[in-house]
């Protein structure tokens, strides 16, 4: 959407990333995700874990819900820092107190 590439062409490009091993195709329900491990490695370990949790919860999660998931792994300050890291990278958006992966958010939030 951001690059104004038609869906058919974008799909072909993403399939090439998978073919050459730069991306993994993951299907969760009716939604297909393309995960780029090389990009994930540039993020903090906690940020990568947050992405994994949000992949499993495509409708998003509020901060208290995320905090419960990461209880014992990270405190509120560390979790907020990871969420801010992801927001600054454009991976996560926050709307109405709910954090979602950017690709799963309505276009108007981009």
């Amino acid at each position: 959407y951001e690059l104004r590439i038609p869906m058919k062409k974008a799909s072909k490009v993403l399939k090439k990333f998978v073919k050459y091993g730069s991306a993994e195709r993951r299907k969760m329900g009716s939604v297909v995700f393309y995960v780029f491990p090389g990009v994930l490695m540039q993020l903090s370990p906690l940020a990568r874990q947050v992405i994994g949790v949000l992949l499993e919860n495509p409708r998003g999660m509020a901060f208290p819900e995320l905090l419960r998931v990461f209880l014992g792994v990270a405190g509120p300050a560390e979790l907020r820092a990871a969420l801010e890291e992801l927001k600054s990278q454009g991976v996560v958006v926050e709307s109405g107190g709910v954090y979602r992966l950017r690709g799963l958010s309505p276009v108007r939030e981009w």
Side-chain angles (χ1 to χ4, degrees):
Y1 174 81
E2 290 176 350
L3 298 174
R4 310 256 190 282
I5 297 173
M7 188 59 136
K8 191 173 186 178
K9 184 175 181 179
S11 181
K12 285 182 184 180
V13 171
L14 288 168
K15 286 178 184 176
K16 284 184 181 180
F17 278 107
V18 172
K19 179 180 178 181
Y20 295 114
S22 297
E24 299 169 4
R25 184 179 189 272
R26 296 184 190 171
K27 188 169 183 177
M28 299 185 94
S30 63
V31 179
V32 176
F33 298 96
Y34 289 89
V35 178
F36 292 80
V39 174
L40 289 177
M41 294 311 297
Q42 298 173 19
L43 299 171
S44 69
L46 183 56
R48 289 194 300 268
Q49 288 178 305
V50 169
I51 289 171
V53 168
L54 292 177
L55 277 170
E56 293 174 9
N57 296 278
R59 292 183 182 200
M61 297 178 76
F63 185 79
E65 294 173 299
L66 286 165
L67 194 55
R68 276 192 296 270
V69 169
F70 289 101
L71 189 64
V73 175
E78 293 91 359
L79 183 56
R80 283 197 196 283
L83 288 167
E84 286 304 314
E85 175 186 0
L86 292 169
K87 283 173 60 177
S88 72
Q89 296 288 330
V91 177
V92 169
V93 294
E94 185 264 327
S95 176
V98 175
Y99 293 89
R100 290 181 191 84
L101 292 173
R102 184 175 182 197
L104 296 177
S105 298
V107 173
R108 69 186 182 297
E109 292 183 15
W110 292 7

